Amino acid sequence: MEAASQERYVMSDPRLSRALISVSDKTGLEPLARALVERGVMILSTGGTAKALKALDIAITDVSDVTGFPEIMDGRVKTLHPMIHGGILGRLDNPTDEAARESHGITPIDLVVVNLYPFEETLKKDADFETMVETIDIGGPAMIRAAAKNHAYVTVVTSPDQYDRVIKALDAGDGAIDPETRQTLAMEAFARTAAYDTAVSHWLAGTMEAKTRADMTFGGPIAQTLRYGENPHQSAALYRTTENRPGVASAAILQGKELSYNNLNDTDAAFEAVCEFDPERPAVVIVKHANPCGIAHGDDLKDAYLKARACDPVSAFGGIVALNGEIDGACAEAISEIFTEVIIAPKVSDGARAVFAKKPNLRVLETGGLADPKTPASIAKTIAGGLLVQDRDASSVRDLELKTVTKSAPTEAEMRDLKFAFSVAKHVKSNTIVYAKDEATVGIGAGQMSRVDAAHIAARKAADVAKEAGEAEPATIGSVVASDAFFPFADGLQVAIEAGATAVIQPGGSMRDDDVIAAADEAGVAMVFTGVRHFRH
C-alpha cells in the first residue's frame, strides 16, 4: 500500500469508549475488563462472557439489548446483526458511514475482544462429527475480521496473550490505542482466523479423505520464536498445526537449552524414523544433519543404541538420538558417554532423568507416544512463488508384496535385514544406499547425485569404522544392501557386491532391470523388488 493511501490509518487515533467482549477462553479477562471500566469504557458482552463479567461485579450491556433481538438457535446467532457490525465497520471520518449510523441509531464500537470456540483443542480429543461442527465459530471470526479490516478506528484483540500489551498501550495513549499497535493486532487477527479456518478445512478434508483440493491453506499459532534459522543471519520461528501427532513440536521438554531450528528439524527426522520400526521391538535412530548415521534394533534400548552408534561413531558425536520405548538408567548412561544434542523418546524413566540431569545443557524430550507412520497427512515444501503439497510417504515395507527376481532367494535372516534396510532407506536423503547386518546399519550413503557414489561412500565409511576399531574386515562383508530407488545401471549394484553384500532390495522399474538382475545372478546374490520407491529430498 502506498503512503498516500495509508494516511487515514496513520492519523486516526480515537480514544476508546465502547468495547465488545465475547471470549471462549476467560483467562486474564478480569484485569482487562477492569482496566477498561476504570477508563470509562462501556462493555458490551454476550452469553457466558456476560455471566462471567457480572459475577465479577463488572457492569456490562448485553448485546441483545443493543440489537433488540435475543440469541437464537442455541447461540448460533447473537452478534450477526447490523447494530453490531455497523458499529465495528463504520469509518469515523466518512460522511456516508456517519449518515448511516445516525439514520439507524448505530453507536461505534472501537474495541473488539474475541477469542474463538476451541476447535483445535476439541479436535485433539477425537470428538464426534456433530460436536466438531458445533465447535466451528461463526460470529467470532466475522467480528474479528470486521474489526481487523477497520483497524484505522477499531482495536481487535484475539488472545489473552495480548491483554497486557493493550493495557500498556492504553496507559501510554491516555485511553487511546496507537495506530501501530492497532495495525499489528489486525495483522495478528487475520493470521488467527486464517489458522482457524485452516484447521476446519483440514478436518473436513480428513473426514472425506480428500486428496487434492482446489485451494489449500496451512497455518497455526506461533509456538516459539527461534534465535535464528539454519544460519545465524536467518530469522525463524516454530508454528504448530492441528495435526494430532506425537513428535518434537508437541513433546514435553524435560531439560536442556532452547531447541534451535536445526535441532527441531533433525529431531523431527530422528523421531519420524524411529516410529517406522516395530514398536514391540527396541529401536534407536541417531541423526546428524537430517540424515540417519545409525539405526538398529536391539535386545533392549541400550543394545540398540550401541549398535546404532557403532555404524558411524564419528558422526554420532553431537547427534540426535530417538528411541521407540522408555529410556532406563542403563541406556541413559550409554548415551551420556558421548556428546549428544537432543534425546527424544515416548517416555523417560526417573533413573534416566537422574543421569541426564548431570548434563543440564542436554535437551531431553518426552513425546508420550509414538507416531503412526501410516497416518495420512498433507506435507508441504515451499518453492519460489508456491507450495508443493503431497501425502506423507505412508508406505511400509511390512505391507509390501516383495518379489524375488534372481535365481537365488534371500535366506530368512537376509530377508529380515532387507526389510530393515529398506525401512531405513525411506528416511535417508536421496540418492541413498544402506548396508545392514543383524538389523543394524553398517554403512549409509546419503544425499548423493549418483547412486554409484552413494554405494561407494557407504562402503568406505564402513571400512573406515572397521579400521579405526581394529577389525579384520568391514561390516559390509555378509551384509544386505537397500537402494531407495532402482539401479539405472548395474554399476551401483557391482559396488555393493564388491563391498560384500549378499542380498539386495530395491524398487525395480528401470529400463535395464534385466541387466541388473543378470549382474546379481552372475555374482550369486539374491535380489528382491518392492515396487515402491522412497525418494526423499
Side-chain angles (χ1 to χ4, degrees), residues 105-350:
I106 297 172
T107 305
I109 296 171
D110 37 35
L111 173 66
V112 173
V113 182
V114 173
N115 56 59
L116 306 175
Y117 293 165
F119 183 88
E120 296 100 330
E121 292 303 314
T122 306
L123 186 61
K124 294 177 183 177
K125 299 175 183 177
D126 294 324
D128 60 61
F129 189 90
E130 183 178 356
T131 299
M132 293 309 307
V133 168
E134 291 307 315
T135 314
I136 299 173
D137 204 325
I138 300 300
M143 288 188 290
I144 289 172
R145 289 177 59 82
K149 174 175 180 174
N150 205 27
H151 66 268
Y153 317 97
V154 181
T155 301
V156 59
V157 181
T158 55
S159 168
D161 294 338
Q162 299 167 336
Y163 292 174
D164 285 345
R165 195 192 326 170
V166 170
I167 293 171
K168 290 177 181 177
L170 283 171
D171 289 339
D174 191 25
I177 304 293
D178 62 278
E180 183 178 355
T181 297
R182 292 201 307 274
Q183 190 167 23
T184 299
L185 289 169
M187 177 270 293
E188 294 172 2
F190 281 120
R192 176 67 189 117
T193 56
Y196 192 83
D197 287 342
T198 293
V200 176
S201 173
H202 284 206
W203 167 71
L204 280 172
T207 65
M208 299 182 292
E209 297 185 354
K211 291 293 184 183
T212 303
R213 284 157 268 168
D215 295 291
M216 179 176 281
T217 56
F218 291 85
I222 190 167
Q224 181 185 353
T225 299
L226 306 173
R227 285 190 301 153
Y228 53 80
E230 284 185 288
N231 301 291
H233 61 277
Q234 296 170 267
S235 60
L238 168 66
Y239 295 85
R240 287 214 174 97
T241 67
T242 56
E243 186 181 19
N244 190 16
R245 184 178 181 83
V248 63
S250 59
I253 301 175
L254 304 183
Q255 69 165 60
K257 297 187 297 183
E258 180 180 292
L259 291 160
S260 70
Y261 179 99
N262 291 328
N263 290 153
L264 289 163
N265 186 59
D266 292 353
T267 304
D268 177 69
F271 193 69
E272 285 291 308
V274 86
C275 291
E276 186 72 36
F277 300 95
D278 185 351
E280 299 300 317
R281 302 186 59 213
V284 171
V285 173
I286 305 174
V287 159
K288 194 70 168 289
H289 293 293
N291 272 306
C293 58
I295 299 182
H297 276 304
D299 295 331
D300 53 36
L301 286 176
K302 176 183 177 181
D303 181 48
Y305 169 74
L306 293 174
K307 289 169 68 176
R309 190 174 75 186
C311 175
D312 188 352
V314 173
S315 296
F317 185 87
I320 311 291
V321 178
L323 309 93
N324 72 345
E326 180 177 2
I327 308 175
D328 59 19
C331 182
E333 291 284 2
I335 296 173
S336 296
E337 290 174 355
I338 66 170
F339 169 61
T340 299
E341 287 277 8
V342 184
I343 296 166
I344 185 168
K347 191 170 179 58
V348 183
S349 71
D350 290 341

Side-chain angles (χ1 to χ4, degrees), residues 250-463:
S250 59
I253 301 175
L254 304 183
Q255 69 165 60
K257 297 187 297 183
E258 180 180 292
L259 291 160
S260 70
Y261 179 99
N262 291 328
N263 290 153
L264 289 163
N265 186 59
D266 292 353
T267 304
D268 177 69
F271 193 69
E272 285 291 308
V274 86
C275 291
E276 186 72 36
F277 300 95
D278 185 351
E280 299 300 317
R281 302 186 59 213
V284 171
V285 173
I286 305 174
V287 159
K288 194 70 168 289
H289 293 293
N291 272 306
C293 58
I295 299 182
H297 276 304
D299 295 331
D300 53 36
L301 286 176
K302 176 183 177 181
D303 181 48
Y305 169 74
L306 293 174
K307 289 169 68 176
R309 190 174 75 186
C311 175
D312 188 352
V314 173
S315 296
F317 185 87
I320 311 291
V321 178
L323 309 93
N324 72 345
E326 180 177 2
I327 308 175
D328 59 19
C331 182
E333 291 284 2
I335 296 173
S336 296
E337 290 174 355
I338 66 170
F339 169 61
T340 299
E341 287 277 8
V342 184
I343 296 166
I344 185 168
K347 191 170 179 58
V348 183
S349 71
D350 290 341
R353 293 190 191 202
V355 172
F356 294 143
K358 299 173 185 176
K359 297 190 173 185
N361 288 334
L362 172 64
R363 295 105 163 165
V364 180
L365 280 63
E366 188 177 71
T367 65
L370 293 169
D372 183 354
K374 299 179 185 179
T375 302
S378 294
I379 57 176
K381 179 180 180 181
T382 59
I383 59 173
L387 286 172
L388 292 173
V389 180
Q390 65 174 343
D391 291 339
R392 176 185 288 120
D393 184 354
S395 174
S396 171
V397 71
R398 285 179 278 176
D399 301 324
L400 298 179
E401 185 175 339
L402 305 182
K403 179 183 179 182
T404 300
V405 294
T406 47
K407 295 175 182 177
S408 61
T411 66
E412 183 177 342
E414 286 174 333
M415 182 61 80
R416 178 199 63 195
D417 283 346
L418 288 170
K419 292 179 178 180
F420 171 83
F422 199 64
S423 296
V424 172
K426 175 180 173 180
H427 291 272
V428 184
K429 301 291 185 182
S430 300
N431 287 317
T432 183
I433 292 291
V434 176
Y435 296 92
K437 183 191 295 184
D438 298 328
E439 291 185 292
T441 56
V442 296
I444 300 174
Q448 298 305 305
M449 292 70 75
S450 160
R451 196 162 301 279
V452 176
D453 287 345
H456 275 302
I457 288 170
R460 190 203 71 209
K461 288 176 73 71

